[in-house]
Amino acid sequence: KVDSPQALRMFLENGGQDFLARHAQADTHAILQGIEGGQQPVWEVTLLDKQSKDTFGLQLDAATGQVKR
C-alpha cells in the first residue's frame, strides 16, 4: 500500500517537481479518497499557484502506486 510520503514522492517524480520549479510558492493538497463504501482508494495530489492560478494534479492508486492522470 502507498502511504502519504510515498504518494508525495511519486507525485514529484511524475511532474510535480517540474511544476514546483516554475511555481515555487504553490500550495500542495493531498487527499486519500475512496476508503469508505468499498471503492478503490486513490491519492489525489494537487499543486495550486494562487498568484497565477496555475494548477497541476495527479491521481495515484493507493494500493498499487499506479499513476492515473
Side-chain angles (χ1 to χ4, degrees):
K1 295 187 179 185
V2 178
D3 62 12
S4 54
Q6 290 171 312
L8 289 173
R9 184 176 63 247
M10 294 172 72
F11 174 76
L12 291 172
E13 292 171 355
N14 284 279
Q17 189 169 359
D18 293 336
F19 185 90
L20 282 173
R22 296 185 311 274
H23 305 275
Q25 300 300 318
D27 291 333
T28 305
H29 302 271
I31 300 170
L32 182 59
Q33 298 186 27
I35 293 186
E36 296 179 14
Q39 297 175 351
Q40 182 67 25
V42 174
W43 282 106
E44 187 169 324
V45 186
T46 307
L47 291 169
L48 167 64
D49 183 330
K50 291 180 182 179
Q51 210 168 35
S52 69
K53 307 293 187 214
D54 290 338
T55 63
F56 177 78
L58 202 63
Q59 289 186 337
L60 303 162
D61 185 303
T64 66
Q66 181 179 359
V67 175
K68 300 178 172 193
R69 294 193 186 261

